[in-house]
Amino acid sequence: SCTLALVGTKVDKVPGGKKGKKAGGGKSNPKEEAKAVEGMFVFALIWSVGASTETEGRAKFSAFLRKLLSGEVDKSEDRTDVDLGPGLTITEPTFKREAGLPKEGSCYDFMWDTTKLSWRAWMDTVEVRPVDEALAYNSIVVQTVDTVRYSHLLRTLVLHNFHALYSGPT
């Protein structure tokens, strides 16, 4: 349900999402719509299923997801890279994937930009500001990739009336 909640927060941004019209006017493009939905789903998958693991698990999830999206994952029943569980198999989609992940970095290093229909590094989504030297030490919040991505996720969920609970080491 968390995956669907995250997808739901982005649906209003799909090109053509408002009665087949683009945000700036004009007709929507079905190929753009499909790419937008695919990217939103992958982003939601990363930050729901993939977010529920620790550092080592995140590296494995990122590697597996990248292989899965590029069509390079081992689909055999006796694969050794990932155990999907009893009776679960990997099937090729009936459509061409359009929103593959960037080649470099982890899947957690990027966010899906619904306006540009592409992946962007988290730090490219904010203006990095120097620390104000007049602030008391305990008032300083330094922007890091973690503060940027978790702030985005929290803001997105809360603005769409979803509850959020963050846990883990500080």
Side-chain angles (χ1 to χ4, degrees), residues 9 19 56 83 97 105:
T9 66
K19 300 182 183 171
E56 182 183 333
D83 179 10
R97 293 180 194 97

Side-chain angles (χ1 to χ4, degrees), residues 36-70:
V37 171
E38 182 184 334
M40 290 184 311
F41 179 79
V42 172
F43 177 81
L45 183 68
I46 293 166
W47 291 106
S48 57
V49 176
S52 65
T53 186
E54 80 294 345
T55 305
E56 182 183 333
R58 282 188 175 198
K60 289 179 182 178
F61 178 83
S62 182
F64 177 74
L65 183 61
R66 185 174 314 263
K67 284 182 182 178
L68 183 66
L69 293 176
S70 66

Side-chain angles (χ1 to χ4, degrees), residues 97-114:
R97 293 180 194 97
E98 298 288 339
L101 291 166
K103 298 283 184 216
E104 71 286 342
S106 160
C107 67
Y108 302 96
D109 295 337
F110 303 93
M111 60 93 61
W112 178 252
D113 187 328
T114 53

Side-chain angles (χ1 to χ4, degrees), residues 1-51:
S1 70
C2 186
T3 303
L4 292 178
L6 280 168
V7 169
T9 66
K10 302 287 185 187
V11 167
D12 54 344
K13 305 264 193 277
V14 174
K18 303 217 183 220
K19 300 182 183 171
K21 302 243 187 228
K22 281 187 171 181
K27 282 235 172 237
S28 64
N29 177 335
K31 190 172 182 174
E32 284 182 357
E33 292 173 12
K35 184 175 182 178
V37 171
E38 182 184 334
M40 290 184 311
F41 179 79
V42 172
F43 177 81
L45 183 68
I46 293 166
W47 291 106
S48 57
V49 176

Side-chain angles (χ1 to χ4, degrees), residues 59-128:
K60 289 179 182 178
F61 178 83
S62 182
F64 177 74
L65 183 61
R66 185 174 314 263
K67 284 182 182 178
L68 183 66
L69 293 176
S70 66
E72 298 170 2
V73 71
D74 180 6
K75 296 173 196 68
S76 67
E77 298 261 339
D78 56 339
R79 74 183 147 277
T80 58
D81 57 349
V82 173
D83 179 10
L84 297 177
L88 296 176
T89 59
I90 298 172
T91 357
E92 280 297 314
T94 57
F95 57 90
K96 182 181 176 213
R97 293 180 194 97
E98 298 288 339
L101 291 166
K103 298 283 184 216
E104 71 286 342
S106 160
C107 67
Y108 302 96
D109 295 337
F110 303 93
M111 60 93 61
W112 178 252
D113 187 328
T114 53
T115 57
K116 295 182 179 181
L117 299 180
S118 63
W119 295 98
R120 290 179 62 197
W122 283 105
M123 294 306 285
D124 292 346
T125 66
V126 295
E127 179 184 333
V128 179

Side-chain angles (χ1 to χ4, degrees), residues 117-144:
L117 299 180
S118 63
W119 295 98
R120 290 179 62 197
W122 283 105
M123 294 306 285
D124 292 346
T125 66
V126 295
E127 179 184 333
V128 179
R129 299 178 305 268
V131 176
D132 182 355
E133 293 179 21
L135 289 174
Y137 181 76
N138 61 351
S139 302
I140 297 172
V141 177
V142 177
Q143 281 185 320
T144 66

